[in-house]
């Protein structure tokens, strides 16, 4: 399974999963159809699956046009998003599994950004390979999604599920927010040398217009404040010793950053 990153809208990423042997493809969160159709035409591949993480338009905006072009496509989404994702046929819950190419994807229910958000973790096909996490707007490189429909308690629980995955998991998040996220992170975790180094690397990459997605989960665990709510440094920064309150205060600060 190849993962092809496609830039869309102003700062979105769409991910095309490509099975070269069978010449079929799946798409994760098609914000718009045209760039997906262009890539499929280049590959001469058939789209068989749409994996949606949540209902926001910048993640499902291309569904209808893709379904028109490929009427046999199967559309997946969370069960809590029933009626909110165009063309949805499969309603997934925590613990469900999906398949594409030679990979098995495990479904995580991760409410917080929205009430129905899910993530897909494709387990490595070989022991020496990386896993692939498609987490929509729940976890970002250096950050996390705003809480539009969920609570801090839900989001901490959701991020805890993702944080438990192996360090070498590739994190395919849906937006290019990394530099701004790390700028905020430095305001609350400025003595973190891993974070300082990461910011310098990301700043250089963005100056060359290079993508910062995917990141590695191990890097996120060391540098992303929204996975570090239980660290004394972050708790001191927001004057809290309670993990959910620490997370909530960090998220509130980021909302106005």
């Amino acid at each position: 399974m190849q993962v092809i990153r496609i830039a869309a809208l102003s700062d979105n990423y769409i991910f095309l999963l490509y099975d070269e042997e069978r010449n079929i493809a799946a798409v994760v969160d098609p914000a718009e159809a045209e760039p997906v159709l262009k890539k499929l035409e280049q590959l001469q591949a058939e789209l068989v699956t749409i994996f949606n993480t949540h209902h926001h338009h910048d993640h499902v905006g291309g569904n209808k046009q893709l379904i028109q072009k490929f009427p046999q496509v199967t559309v997946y989404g969370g069960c809590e998003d029933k009626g909110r994702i165009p063309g949805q046929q499969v309603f997934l819950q925590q613990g469900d599994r999906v398949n594409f190419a030679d990979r098995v994807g495990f479904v995580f229910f991760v409410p917080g950004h929205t009430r129905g958000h899910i993530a897909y973790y494709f387990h490595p096909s070989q022991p020496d390979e990386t896993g692939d996490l498609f987490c929509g707007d729940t976890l970002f490189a250096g950050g996390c999604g705003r809480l539009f429909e969920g609570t801090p308690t839900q989001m901490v629980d959701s991020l805890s599920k993702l944080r438990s995955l192996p360090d070498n998991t590739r994190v395919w998040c849906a937006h290019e927010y990394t530099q701004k996220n790390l700028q905020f992170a430095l305001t609350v975790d400025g003595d973190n040398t891993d974070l300082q180094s990461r910011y310098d690397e990301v700043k250089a990459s963005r100056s060359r217009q290079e993508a910062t997605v995917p990141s590695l989960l191990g890097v996120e665990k060391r540098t992303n404040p929204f996975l570090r709510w239980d660290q004394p440094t972050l708790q001191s920064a927001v004057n809290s010793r309670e993990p959910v309150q620490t997370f909530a205060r960090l998220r509130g600060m980021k909302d106005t950053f």
Side-chain angles (χ1 to χ4, degrees), residues 192-209:
N192 183 332
T193 55
D194 288 331
L195 173 57
Q196 294 167 5
S197 298
R198 185 184 186 189
Y199 177 74
D200 290 340
E201 292 169 3
V202 165
K203 185 177 179 181
S205 294
R206 292 306 295 154
S207 72
R208 298 188 295 266
Q209 299 298 306

Side-chain angles (χ1 to χ4, degrees), residues 2-13:
Q2 300 178 32
V3 183
I4 301 169
R5 183 185 57 239
I6 301 172
L9 303 178
S10 62
D11 53 30
N12 274 72
Y13 289 127

